[in-house]
Amino acid sequence: FQYLKRYDQGYNLDTFCYEAHSVEGSPAECLQRFLLHCGITDPSWSELRNFTWFLNIQLRDCEASVFCNPDFVQDTLQGF
């Protein structure tokens, strides 16, 4: 949710890193943002769960990758 929220607000996500147990927004805002980004017109709860699960794994792996660390790659992969 935090990544999608910042993406919609135009923030640079290259420097953002999720902090465990941090809470932002309301449950309704979170659900609305997931519905907006999941890519399915009328998703089931299962489809929303799969979307959030997949997105979470991808973002967690991205944060852990040295190739996505802006301090390591500096400006060589800008926007990648």
Side-chain angles (χ1 to χ4, degrees), residues 20-64:
H21 307 293
S22 62
V23 177
E24 292 182 14
S26 67
E29 182 184 4
C30 181
L31 179 59
Q32 184 179 28
R33 200 153 315 256
F34 287 153
L35 289 168
L36 179 67
H37 287 279
C38 78
I40 300 172
T41 304
D42 187 20
S44 66
W45 284 110
S46 177
E47 290 166 328
L48 278 177
R49 184 224 174 260
N50 289 339
F51 168 72
T52 57
W53 175 79
F54 178 77
L55 183 62
N56 187 52
I57 287 176
Q58 295 300 307
L59 292 171
R60 186 184 65 211
D61 290 349
C62 180
E63 285 183 354

Side-chain angles (χ1 to χ4, degrees), residues 2-7 10-17 59:
Q2 293 177 12
Y3 271 96
L4 294 175
K5 180 179 177 182
R6 283 166 178 74
Y7 174 78
Y11 283 87
N12 179 1
L13 298 178
D14 291 341
T15 58
F16 176 70
C17 190
L59 292 171

